[in-house]
Each structure stands twice: as structure tokens, then as C-alpha cells.
Amino acid sequence: MREGNAPVEEGREYDVKIDAQGSKGDGIAHYDGFVIFIPGVQVGQDVRIMVTAVRRTFAIGEVVQ
């Protein structure tokens, strides 16, 4: 389900680079400038993620094994 003008969709996979760490420890990636929070990753990692939730200004993803 795509919400608003988000460039990502829930349930789809994306290749991203973790470029920051959030205040709660989650990794942060950007996809077309859109913020995605991913738990359990470190800055500098290249990972394949699945988006699990899309909100108006951000998304949440998890690493695909």
C-alpha cells in the first residue's frame, strides 16, 4: 500500500545504503530522498530491505536474509 507520494511501497524490496543512525539506534537510509528506518544495521552497510510500513514522511524496513 503506497501512502501519499512516498517513492517506496509496503511489501516491496529495495537495495539501500545505511547513511545515518537514528537517536534510537536504528539505521537510516534514503531512497529518492525518502527516509527509511531499519533496525539492526550499521552506518555504511549496503543492504537489501523489505519495506514493512509506509507513513507520510518515512518508512520502516527490515533486512531481507
Side-chain angles (χ1 to χ4, degrees):
M1 166 160 55
R2 186 176 172 133
E3 187 165 316
N5 292 325
V8 297
E9 295 181 44
E10 191 173 314
R12 292 203 51 201
E13 294 183 5
Y14 301 89
D15 292 312
V16 298
K17 183 174 186 90
I18 307 305
D19 52 27
Q21 187 169 17
S23 60
K24 296 182 181 174
D26 290 343
I28 298 173
H30 292 85
Y31 187 87
D32 282 349
F34 195 73
V35 174
I36 306 172
F37 292 99
I38 305 114
V41 294
Q42 300 297 316
V43 173
Q45 282 185 280
D46 291 309
V47 293
R48 184 159 187 85
I49 62 158
M50 177 182 287
V51 172
T52 57
V54 179
R55 303 293 184 256
R56 188 180 323 214
T57 59
F58 68 93
I60 301 170
E62 61 185 32
V63 175
V64 176
Q65 298 298 339

